[in-house]
Amino acid sequence: MDIDVSTGSAREVDPATGLRAVVALHRLVERVEATYVAAARQAGWSWERIGEALGVTRQSVFAKHGKQDGRV
């Protein structure tokens, strides 16, 4: 697959291959995010601070990750 990140264009003979790659990347990002959110909570970070670091609201990060946090 040839991806030009600067323009967002991807040239792929089979779009299914590219789309499977996107799914795999989304899953990886979700796992990495959950790992670091958990680490931040264990380090005493507030939901507001985590949200700011991720560029989202504290409410959205709590809604997404709050149930995994034993300290809710």
Side-chain angles (χ1 to χ4, degrees):
M1 180 179 349
D2 182 17
I3 298 176
D4 183 349
V5 178
S6 65
T7 63
S9 67
R11 291 174 295 282
E12 174 62 53
V13 175
D14 179 14
T17 301
L19 293 172
R20 283 192 301 272
V22 169
V23 170
L25 288 170
H26 277 287
R27 288 178 181 157
L28 176 60
V29 166
E30 292 298 319
R31 288 194 310 265
V32 171
E33 180 179 308
T35 298
Y36 281 98
V37 167
R41 290 294 292 161
Q42 288 177 345
W45 284 35
S46 68
W47 290 111
E48 183 173 6
R49 185 173 178 192
I50 295 168
E52 287 174 1
L54 291 173
V56 299
T57 65
R58 67 178 173 79
Q59 293 91 341
S60 66
V61 76
F62 177 79
K64 186 172 182 181
H65 297 283
K67 291 181 182 172
Q68 290 86 19
D69 183 10
R71 302 179 314 120
V72 178

